[in-house]
């Protein structure tokens, strides 16, 4: 199953970085995106020649996907899959959460992925491609102090469920992944507020491993939170 071309959105992050390295080890080619060119460079440092393209972009820009399409066309020439592993989190009760934080959560976690995906659909359709979207456990079990983040992830999961059916006729598979809390440091990079006391989370390698396995298994359409265990 190696030899695919996969776009990893959020390749500069913890889960996206592990997914990228695992795909490269398996012989796939990766187009990695994130805002930070320096972090992307670090992710792709050991990539074999001709199997890594860095594409810095900001998901908050509605046209960001156009840049990714250009890099695909001028680089590998086709796209077999996209893994959306970018996102931001915020904590705190709604009353004290500023409007611009709520907006940023939705722009980054929901609108950005949808703006990007609609631009990738024609290329993915050419290859009977796969979309893997990382939502979160809070889409299933929303928690107090995380209303806006949970709502953004629930919106993403709702989009995935609709797109799974909508894109079937385009021969594109859509996989909604809802990991539990994972030890990536994301909570410490919250754009607002302090995280609640959290139990020890999953090893990020477990989440990345399940995502890479899902890319290879055409039967997988979702990975709910209950399907993650540290024993994987
Ligand atoms: N960690 C958890 O407990 C957990 C649990 C469930 C779900 N998730 C989800 O898993 C995904 C990955 O999270 P992670 O834990 O790996 O976090 P992370 O290490 O902070 O990675 C987040 C990634 O998103 C990118 N990003 C953020 N804002 C962006 C923007 N405006 N435009 C483009 N890229 C942007 C970051 O790159 P730059 O900063 O370079 O832009 C980075 O590559 C997120 O969607 C998160 O919500 C995480």
């Amino acid at each position: 199953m190696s030899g695919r071309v996969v776009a990893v959105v959020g390749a500069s992050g913890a889960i996206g970085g592990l997914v990228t390295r695992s795909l490269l080890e398996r012989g796939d080619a990766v187009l990695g995106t994130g805002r930070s060119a320096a972090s992307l460079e670090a992710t792709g440092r050991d990539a074999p020649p001709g199997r890594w393209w860095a594409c810095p972009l900001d998901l908050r820009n509605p046209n960001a996907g156009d840049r990714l399409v250009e890099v695909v066309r001028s680089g590998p020439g086709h796209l077999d899959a996209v893994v959306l592993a970018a996102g931001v989190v915020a904590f705190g009760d709604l009353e004290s959460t500023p409007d611009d934080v709520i907006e940023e959560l939705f722009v980054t976690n929901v609108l950005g992925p949808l703006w990007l995906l609609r631009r990738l659909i024609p290329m993915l359709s050419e290859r009977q491609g796969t979309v893997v979207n990382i939502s979160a456990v809070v889409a299933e079990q929303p928690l107090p102090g995380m209303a806006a983040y949970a709502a953004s992830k629930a919106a993403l999961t709702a989009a995935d469920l609709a797109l799974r059916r909508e894109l079937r006729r385009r021969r594109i598979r859509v996989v909604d992944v809802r990991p539990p809390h994972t030890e990536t440091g994301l909570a410490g990079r919250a754009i607002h507020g302090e995280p609640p006391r959290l139990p020890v989370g999953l090893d990020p390698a477990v989440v990345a491993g399940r995502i890479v396995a899902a890319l290879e298994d055409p039967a997988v359409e979702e990975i709910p939170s209950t399907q993650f265990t540290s024993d994987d």
Side-chain angles (χ1 to χ4, degrees), residues 36-224:
S36 160
S39 301
L40 283 176
E41 196 180 312
T43 300
R45 187 177 297 129
D46 300 323
R51 287 209 276 120
W52 164 257
W53 292 264
C55 179
L57 58 77
D58 191 329
L59 280 174
R60 295 169 296 183
N61 175 353
N63 301 318
D66 295 335
R67 172 82 190 117
L68 184 54
V69 168
E70 273 173 31
V71 174
V72 173
R73 294 284 183 222
S74 64
H78 64 267
L79 187 66
D80 295 297
V82 57
V83 176
L84 286 134
V88 288
V89 71
F91 302 103
D93 54 33
L94 185 65
E95 188 181 0
S96 60
T97 304
D99 293 340
D100 58 350
V101 170
I102 297 170
E103 183 177 22
E104 173 135 13
L105 284 169
F106 274 79
V107 173
T108 307
N109 295 353
V110 190
L111 302 185
L114 295 183
W115 289 329
L116 188 93
L117 269 182
R118 64 184 291 271
R119 288 163 170 79
L120 300 183
I121 286 169
M123 285 193 306
L124 290 168
S125 183
E126 285 168 15
R127 302 285 294 184
Q128 301 183 37
T130 303
V131 174
V132 178
N133 230 343
I134 308 187
S135 176
V137 61
V138 289
E140 304 167 355
Q141 298 160 37
L143 293 174
M146 299 175 70
Y149 176 68
S152 74
K153 289 298 187 179
L156 188 66
T157 288
D160 285 343
L161 300 189
L163 288 170
R164 177 188 303 160
R165 294 168 62 191
E166 181 178 316
L167 295 181
R168 202 169 278 155
R169 64 190 156 83
R170 303 290 298 272
R171 301 196 298 178
I172 298 171
R173 178 168 62 107
V174 178
V175 183
D176 185 68
V177 183
R178 301 187 291 277
H181 172 53
T182 305
E183 294 296 337
T184 65
L186 175 68
R189 292 187 285 280
I191 58 171
H192 175 78
E194 294 297 323
R197 192 190 298 261
L198 294 163
V200 174
L202 277 182
D203 179 345
V206 169
V207 178
R210 295 300 303 272
I211 289 168
V212 172
L215 279 172
E216 295 185 352
D217 183 350
V220 176
E221 291 193 321
E222 66 173 350
I223 311 178

